[in-house]
């Protein structure tokens, strides 16, 4: 949005418009969903002025009013479903990972959480006919897990028919059996994955804000951002805030981080995929003692919660633990060199 349109809002002159744009408030909608405190702190605007600007933006963008259930249903038709390319898992999730939602995947080390994020960074780029969303990926890496070599494996592991479609769509000459063409295709996939390594929890929170800016820059391009992967969401928070005395501060920061991610998903029709670490509950005498960390803050923020569990060999159990409109259930997949595959 050009800056002169922001100046149509009451109390916004050229200098204030510059401050808003520099701090990521580039549209009426992004201003409308901000809080006065947030705008005051980030854009150096008085809280009273920020409140007036936000209220005017809400009125201009028609945000914040009531609407009928039929209208909500119509708007939900815009939500995309990102396929896992595994029918059993897609059926479990009602078609795949939803945009405008947070999907949390948790499990023990080696259960395949990072494999899921890598696979979705590939799948999101596929055509809609092949279960993708025809978009790019932002990958926030807090545990040094991102491996471009793994993306290479997974691209090569796609069905030949899908590979041929992608080569045609990206105007790469050759066939799936042509090594040079395959290398060009792998490079094309890697070009649409934007990776940043988070060094601590504050840096991770900052990267979520930067991700919103990047999504805004790509919104009108051929490759809009359609998934943000955070692997893992909780590692830094868990390491930096130790003991009950720091639990409240940790949860407050985690809550803000989750709401930043939620806002990004809503504004740009993006899927948010986060991985989470687990802890063992010593009080559990029956059943699986494994619990996701992050407490109720993360439990309430996640729209879909998926528990990955190791099975025999390369098999993994995908269990849907919580979803607003789907029944709990389980599916089986395999984690192989070529990526995530059906049983």
């Amino acid at each position: 949005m050009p800056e002169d349109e922001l100046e149509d809002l009451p109390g916004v002159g050229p200098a204030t418009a510059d401050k808003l744009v520099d701090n990521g408030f580039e549209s009426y909608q992004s201003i409308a969903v901000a809080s006065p405190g947030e705008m005051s702190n980030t854009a150096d605007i008085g809280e009273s002025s920020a409140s007036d600007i936000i209220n005017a933006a809400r009125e201009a963008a028609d945000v914040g009013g009531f609407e009928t259930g039929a209208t909500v249903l119509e708007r939900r038709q815009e939500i995309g479903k990102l396929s896992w390319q595994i029918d059993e898992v897609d059926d479990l999730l009602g078609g795949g990972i939803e945009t405008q939602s947070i999907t949390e995947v948790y499990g023990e080390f080696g259960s395949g959480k990072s494999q899921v994020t890598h696979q979705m960074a590939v799948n999101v780029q596929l055509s809609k006919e092949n279960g993708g969303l025809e978009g790019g990926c932002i990958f926030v890496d807090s545990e040094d897990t991102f491996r471009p070599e793994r993306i290479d494996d997974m691209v090569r592991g796609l069905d030949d028919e899908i590979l041929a479609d992608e080569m045609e769509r990206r105007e790469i000459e050759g066939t799936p059996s042509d090594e040079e063409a395959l290398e060009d295709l792998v490079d094309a996939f890697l070009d649409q994955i934007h990776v940043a390594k988070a060094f601590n929890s504050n840096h991770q929170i900052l990267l979520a804000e930067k991700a919103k800016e990047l999504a805004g820059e790509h919104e009108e391009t051929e490759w809009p951002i359609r998934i943000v992967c955070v692997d893992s969401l909780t590692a830094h928070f868990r390491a930096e805030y130790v003991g009950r005395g720091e639990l409240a501060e940790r949860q407050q920061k985690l809550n803000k981080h989750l709401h930043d991610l939620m806002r990004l998903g809503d504004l740009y029709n993006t899927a948010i995929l986060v991985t989470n670490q687990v802890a063992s509950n010593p009080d559990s005498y029956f059943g699986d003692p494994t619990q996701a960390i992050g407490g109720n803050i993360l439990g309430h923020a996640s729209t879909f919660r998926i528990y990955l569990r190791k099975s025999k060999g390369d098999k993994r159990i995908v269990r849907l633990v919580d979803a607003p409109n789907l029944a709990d259930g389980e599916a089986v997949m395999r984690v192989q060199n070529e990526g995530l595959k059906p049983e």
Side-chain angles (χ1 to χ4, degrees):
M1 169 175 287
E3 292 177 31
D4 59 347
E5 290 190 32
L6 294 185
E7 293 177 35
D8 292 341
L9 296 173
V12 179
T16 303
D18 286 341
K19 287 182 184 179
L20 290 170
V21 171
D22 289 344
N23 289 278
F25 300 104
E26 299 176 342
S27 66
Y28 287 165
Q29 189 172 7
S30 62
I31 294 172
V33 297
S35 68
E38 177 192 6
M39 182 177 288
S40 176
N41 290 331
T42 58
D44 192 27
I45 297 171
E47 196 158 329
S48 175
S49 298
S51 181
D52 292 341
I53 293 169
I54 289 168
N55 287 334
R58 284 175 179 169
E59 189 173 334
D62 194 22
V63 171
F66 289 97
E67 54 192 5
T68 66
T71 305
V72 174
L73 180 61
E74 184 179 341
R75 195 175 69 248
R76 278 189 60 81
Q77 307 306 316
E78 300 172 7
I79 289 176
K81 298 270 191 175
L82 174 58
S83 170
W84 288 51
Q85 300 294 322
I86 302 169
D87 290 344
E88 192 178 350
V89 178
D90 286 342
D91 290 344
L92 178 70
L93 299 178
I97 293 176
E98 278 193 4
T99 59
Q100 299 181 37
S101 297
I102 293 181
T103 299
E104 174 198 354
V105 177
Y106 69 92
E108 296 177 339
F109 67 93
S111 59
K113 303 184 297 296
S114 296
Q115 303 301 314
V116 172
T117 55
H118 281 69
Q119 188 70 65
M120 295 309 137
V122 171
N123 292 1
V124 73
Q125 300 185 43
L126 303 179
S127 67
K128 292 179 181 177
E129 292 77 12
N130 288 322
L133 296 175
E134 300 178 6
C137 168
I138 291 175
F139 198 110
V140 178
D141 181 4
S142 71
E143 293 191 277
D144 193 26
T145 52
F146 181 78
R147 294 292 182 271
E149 300 87 351
R150 198 72 187 105
I151 300 296
D152 189 319
D153 294 338
M154 290 175 169
V155 171
R156 294 171 185 270
L158 294 169
D159 291 343
D160 282 351
E161 191 174 324
I162 294 178
L163 287 173
D165 285 349
E166 287 302 307
M167 286 178 178
E168 182 180 353
R169 200 160 67 91
R170 298 169 194 248
E171 300 180 350
I172 295 173
E173 295 183 4
T175 65
S177 59
D178 181 348
E179 179 59 29
E180 190 174 337
L182 262 179
E183 288 179 3
D184 289 344
L185 183 60
V186 169
D187 288 343
F189 270 86
L190 286 169
D191 281 344
Q192 301 307 327
I193 303 173
H194 309 271
V195 185
K197 186 172 180 180
F199 295 103
N200 53 48
S201 61
N202 286 327
H203 187 218
Q204 186 172 321
I205 291 170
L206 175 64
L207 288 176
E209 296 170 3
K210 294 292 183 184
K212 189 169 75 169
E213 293 176 18
L214 189 60
E217 291 169 7
H218 284 75
E219 187 179 15
E220 301 299 329
T221 67
E222 185 182 355
W223 292 96
I225 301 300
R226 285 291 173 257
I227 191 168
V228 176
C229 300
V230 185
D231 187 21
S232 94
L233 178 77
T234 49
H236 285 315
F237 293 92
R238 190 180 194 182
E240 293 168 24
Y241 297 90
V242 181
R244 291 186 179 276
E246 298 191 40
L247 180 61
E249 186 180 356
R250 183 188 84 173
Q251 294 303 87
Q252 286 172 0
K253 288 185 72 173
L254 184 59
N255 192 31
K256 179 191 182 302
H257 185 38
L258 285 163
H259 278 78
D260 286 343
L261 292 170
M262 266 191 266
R263 187 177 306 166
L264 193 163
D266 288 339
L267 283 174
Y268 300 108
N269 194 24
T270 299
I272 309 296
L273 175 62
V274 303
T275 67
N276 189 13
Q277 297 183 344
V278 296
S280 186
N281 179 9
D283 297 331
S284 177
Y285 293 103
F286 304 100
D288 191 341
T290 304
Q291 289 185 334
I293 68 168
N296 291 327
I297 291 287
L298 183 50
H300 290 310
S302 300
T303 316
F304 301 91
R305 302 194 89 181
I306 298 170
Y307 174 31
L308 285 186
R309 195 169 74 246
K310 296 177 187 177
S311 187
K312 292 181 180 178
D314 61 4
K315 280 187 182 181
R316 298 293 185 272
I317 309 300
V318 182
R319 183 181 172 201
L320 182 62
V321 176
D322 185 38
N325 60 328
L326 300 169
D328 296 354
E330 292 185 348
V332 181
M333 69 176 184
R334 292 183 182 272
V335 178
Q336 299 181 331
N337 289 338
E338 299 81 13
L340 307 183
K341 297 297 177 184
E343 184 185 9

